[in-house]
């Protein structure tokens, strides 16, 4: 506490400069130390450091541009800690509250989904649980291929990120549990890449026994084909599962990557193209990119 007390005798602008080198969480905690710290911690000097340089442009191009003006940088920061829609409502932007890192989301309409314009394969509809106007639902197709593309300049530099496909499956869905899907994240000229595999839906043991009576070892043959294509990248014990979220959706981790100082191309992919069986019932909301901790 002696160190904090000695800082407290500095001019307020010096304290603000020091606090700007911490994190939003630290600034909030230190504001409780004294009235000097509180005043310094609420200054624009501190919170401008936690905001992206182009935050004013982001707000102006968002769905909150018509709201009452933001009176301070601190108010702007906490407003951006809640998701805002940008670029015609097809993307979403928010700041991580405790670190100030950027989270960025591409809606289904911003993704390259094979045959998504064919109403026999995919349908577009609204969903009350989605932050976006439309989601894509798989009607029937043997080939599911989804790509999301953006640039790392839209994200925070020098940060470890994860990319997540936000989905759910309808009760009437079928063909999603025959074999795992392949996921991949590529950065720049593929010098940095992350690959893996994931089950969209796990079969119950009773269903596996019943399936083996009707189809023999078709499932095992399909997985072997999948493993042969992946080579050394395939690990049957390392196949990930879909993770449930608190918002009623599930997410699939597509991979991770590290942003440097350069603005590079980023490609995130999901493919289930080896099973050959018809698949239905997958509902796609978005790909979310957020810091990993």
């Amino acid at each position: 506490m002696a160190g904090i007390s000695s800082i407290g005798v500095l001019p307020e602008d010096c304290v603000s400069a020091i606090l700007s080198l911490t994190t939003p969480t630290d600034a909030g905690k230190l504001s409780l130390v004294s009235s000097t710290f509180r005043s310094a911690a609420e200054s624009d000097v501190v919170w401008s450091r936690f905001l992206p340089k182009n935050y004013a442009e982001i707000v102006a191009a968002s769905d909150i541009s018509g709201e009452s003006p933001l009176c301070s940088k601190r108010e702007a920061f906490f407003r951006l800690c809640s998701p805002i829609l940008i670029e015609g409502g097809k993307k979403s932007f928010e700041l991580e509250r405790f670190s100030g890192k950027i989270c960025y989301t591409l809606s289904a309409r911003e993704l390259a989904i094979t045959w998504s314009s064919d109403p026999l394969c995919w349908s577009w509809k609204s969903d009350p649980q989605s932050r976006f106007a439309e989601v894509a639902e798989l009607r029937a197709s043997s080939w599911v291929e989804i790509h999301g593309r953006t640039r790392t300049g839209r994200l925070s530099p020098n940060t470890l990120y994860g990319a997540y496909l936000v989905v759910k499956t309808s009760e009437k869905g079928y063909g999603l549990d025959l074999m795992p899907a392949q996921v991949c994240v590529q950065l720049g000229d593929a010098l940095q890449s992350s690959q893996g595999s994931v089950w969209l839906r796990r079969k119950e043991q009773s269903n596996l026994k019943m399936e083996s009576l009707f189809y023999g070892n078709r499932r095992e043959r399909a997985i072997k084909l999948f493993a042969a294509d992946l080579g050394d990248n395939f690990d049957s014990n390392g196949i990930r599962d879909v993770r449930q979220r608190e918002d009623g959706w599930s997410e699939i981790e597509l991979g991770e990557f590290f942003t440097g100082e350069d603005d590079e191309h980023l490609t995130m992919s999901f493919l289930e193209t080896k099973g050959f069986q018809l698949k239905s019932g997958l509902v796609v909301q978005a790909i979310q990119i957020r810091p990993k901790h």
Side-chain angles (χ1 to χ4, degrees), residues 48 51-62 64-65 70 73 76-77 80 84 86 93 95:
S48 61
L51 286 165
K53 293 180 180 179
N54 63 336
Y55 87 93
E57 298 175 15
I58 294 170
V59 171
S62 74
I64 66 170
S65 59
L70 300 170
K73 299 291 180 65
F77 176 86
L80 292 178
I84 62 172
I86 59 175
F93 175 96
L95 296 177

Side-chain angles (χ1 to χ4, degrees), residues 185-193 263-267:
V185 169
Q186 292 185 328
L187 189 64
D189 296 326
L191 295 178
Q192 183 183 156
S193 64
D263 184 15
E264 299 184 277
H265 289 285
L266 173 66
T267 302

Side-chain angles (χ1 to χ4, degrees), residues 13-59:
D13 57 344
C14 291
V15 177
S16 295
I18 294 171
L19 294 181
S20 71
L21 301 177
T22 63
T23 67
T25 300
D26 291 333
K29 291 178 179 178
L30 290 170
S31 68
L32 303 176
V33 172
S34 67
S35 58
T36 300
F37 270 80
R38 182 168 60 254
S39 179
E42 293 178 353
S43 72
D44 282 353
V45 172
V46 173
W47 293 95
S48 61
R49 189 69 178 263
F50 302 146
L51 286 165
K53 293 180 180 179
N54 63 336
Y55 87 93
E57 298 175 15
I58 294 170
V59 171

